[in-house]
Amino acid sequence: MRSEKKLNELLSSWEDTYKKGQLTLWVFLSMQEGKKYVEEIKEFVETKSNGTITCEEQSLYRALRKYEHIDVLKHELGEGNKGPKRKYYYMTDLGQELFNQFVNRNIKLFYYEEIRNLLKS
């Protein structure tokens, strides 16, 4: 049992680190479907990752502000649901190119047959 506890601790630690690094990818993935406000982004991330990636709204707002600051995302105001206007976020041309290059360099590796075979074991 001791080794299973250790395994679970190590797995949790690895997943925590992994998830922190994944937020940008998941936010950018959500933007591939078009403009979204924060709750839609959060829902996309949690649904499409089968609940393995979750994000607090404050973390998401911080990330979105950072992405706007570096000109990879922008927002426009749109109608809210019986309340104030909402910020709808979308990718800039620079953001789309950044996403495309990241995917080509880092994600598409997992499509290579050699890597797919390693993942099967």
Side-chain angles (χ1 to χ4, degrees):
M1 280 299 150
R2 186 177 185 313
S3 64
E4 187 164 329
K5 181 180 179 195
K6 181 71 170 177
L7 176 62
N8 287 333
E9 289 173 1
L10 291 169
L11 183 57
S12 290
S13 176
W14 186 3
E15 286 177 336
D16 287 346
T17 302
Y18 169 79
K19 289 173 186 179
K20 287 177 187 169
Q22 292 295 305
L23 184 58
T24 301
L25 174 63
W26 284 97
V27 168
F28 282 28
L29 273 173
S30 76
M31 298 291 155
Q32 299 307 298
E33 296 181 339
K35 298 173 184 172
K36 288 191 172 35
Y37 61 94
V38 170
E39 187 58 37
E40 289 175 321
I41 297 168
K42 185 178 187 317
E43 184 176 310
F44 175 93
V45 170
E46 292 176 359
T47 301
K48 299 296 183 186
S49 72
N50 293 324
T52 62
I53 307 287
T54 59
C55 48
E56 299 295 323
E57 281 191 24
Q58 282 308 107
S59 298
L60 197 47
Y61 278 115
R62 265 193 310 277
L64 292 169
R65 280 193 302 273
K66 178 179 85 173
Y67 304 149
E68 280 194 289
H69 181 74
I70 60 173
D71 298 322
V72 294
L73 288 186
K74 291 197 181 295
H75 76 271
E76 62 184 34
L77 294 177
E79 291 303 314
N81 192 11
K82 299 181 183 177
K85 293 189 180 254
R86 289 184 173 155
K87 287 183 179 181
Y88 285 85
Y89 293 90
Y90 61 95
M91 294 177 73
T92 63
D93 290 341
L94 176 63
Q96 188 64 55
E97 185 59 30
L98 175 65
F99 174 78
N100 293 343
Q101 287 194 27
F102 179 85
V103 168
N104 285 331
R105 286 173 53 173
N106 299 282
I107 304 300
K108 288 189 177 178
L109 296 171
F110 293 100
Y111 293 101
Y112 295 161
E113 185 174 354
E114 179 182 359
I115 301 301
R116 285 194 340 253
N117 289 335
L118 290 170
L119 289 170
K120 288 178 186 176
S121 46

